[in-house]
Amino acid sequence: KAGVTQTPRYLIKTRGQQVTLSCSPISGHRSVSWYQQTPGQGLQFLFEYFSETQRNKGNFPGRFSGRQFSNSRSEMNVSTLELGDSALYLCASSVTGEGQPQHFGDGTRLSIL
Amino acid sequence: EDQVTQSPEALRLQEGESSSLNCSYTVSGLRGLFWYRQDPGKGPEFLFTLYSAGEEKEKERLKATLTKKESFLHITAPKPEDSATYLCAVQATGNTGKLIFGQGTTLQVKP
């Protein structure tokens, strides 16, 4: 069974630009969650999508947004990039998002110059 | 506020030297507690889910236990390939899709 796939693996951007990251969940998983991982803050929850609807949201500014498509694939967008947005962005999927384990992709490493 | 604290931050063991990692949590209502392993440059890999106090799960050299306030990950006779960062996370009742993670314990096992 294929795992969670994230593209691209690496991205380099400059301040002020915007970026879109993609996530393909495990087949049959309808919940997709996004996390930001940094050495200082660890793993922090961004938002969760289920059936094309955002069900839950973390404490991040509105520059961070996402969407989910009818095939459960999800994208995350960050606008007006700041130096502090440099991080590993992880996507995770689960069947319903309620109490089951989340399975993670290997992430997109975003570097802001 | 829901919170997860892991200790120690780092642990160095000799091959075969058993030890335990601690995960203390405060959560309004526990939906599930999860253990993950993360290798450098990779995403977290799922290990165990625990749902209620007294529950135990075991896999090879790893055993996870749960009480009302903390969880332990026991590592028996570790091998160098067990070296990784171990992450503990909780999901609160009603908080769909959201895991709250601890800062992790980085384990190094020397041959």
Side-chain angles (χ1 to χ4, degrees), chain B residues 2-52:
Chain B
D2 299 335
Q3 192 170 309
V4 176
T5 303
Q6 290 187 247
S7 61
E9 285 185 22
L11 183 61
R12 296 172 74 176
L13 299 173
Q14 287 296 129
E15 185 172 1
E17 180 187 2
S18 301
S19 188
S20 296
L21 281 54
N22 177 263
C23 170
S24 298
Y25 65 92
T26 53
V27 65
S28 46
L30 182 67
R31 188 67 180 85
L33 184 141
F34 305 87
W35 282 98
Y36 288 87
R37 166 194 172 126
Q38 187 173 26
D39 293 298
K42 299 277 193 177
E45 175 189 347
F46 169 70
L47 294 173
F48 303 109
T49 307
L50 300 165
Y51 292 108
S52 57

Side-chain angles (χ1 to χ4, degrees), chain A residues 9 33 35 37 39-43 45 48 55-56 88 90 97-106, chain B residues 31-32 34 36 38 41-46 49 51 87 91 94-103:
Chain A
R9 287 297 314 277
S33 298
Y35 296 85
Q37 186 174 30
Q41 299 297 317
L43 272 141
F45 173 76
E48 185 245 4
R55 276 198 311 192
N56 204 350
L88 180 66
L90 291 160
E98 295 267 18
Q100 308 108 9
Q102 295 182 10
H103 297 274
F104 284 79
D106 284 336
Chain B
R31 188 67 180 85
F34 305 87
Y36 288 87
Q38 187 173 26
K42 299 277 193 177
E45 175 189 347
F46 169 70
T49 307
Y51 292 108
L87 296 163
Q91 184 176 27
N95 228 333
T96 60
K98 177 180 180 178
L99 296 181
I100 300 168
F101 280 86
Q103 290 292 97

Side-chain angles (χ1 to χ4, degrees), chain A residues 23-96:
Chain A
C23 172
S24 293
I26 292 171
S27 178
H29 286 194
R30 296 170 64 193
S31 169
V32 174
S33 298
W34 288 88
Y35 296 85
Q36 181 194 67
Q37 186 174 30
T38 59
Q41 299 297 317
L43 272 141
Q44 293 188 290
F45 173 76
L46 282 155
F47 31 66
E48 185 245 4
Y49 285 85
F50 182 85
S51 290
E52 302 178 66
T53 301
Q54 186 182 89
R55 276 198 311 192
N56 204 350
K57 189 176 186 309
N59 296 324
F60 279 82
R63 299 186 296 107
F64 292 82
S65 63
R67 59 177 175 168
Q68 186 181 35
F69 302 94
S70 58
N71 61 357
S72 294
R73 191 177 70 84
S74 178
E75 288 182 347
M76 188 190 107
N77 184 273
V78 188
S79 63
T80 320
L81 286 165
E82 300 177 359
L83 291 176
D85 296 334
S86 294
L88 180 66
Y89 290 89
L90 291 160
C91 162
S93 74
S94 67
V95 178
T96 67

Side-chain angles (χ1 to χ4, degrees), chain B residues 10-15 17 78-80 82-86 105-111:
Chain B
L11 183 61
R12 296 172 74 176
L13 299 173
Q14 287 296 129
E15 185 172 1
E17 180 187 2
K79 299 182 177 182
D82 294 322
S83 298
T85 295
Y86 290 85
T105 294
T106 300
L107 173 65
Q108 184 181 34
V109 182
K110 295 203 159 188

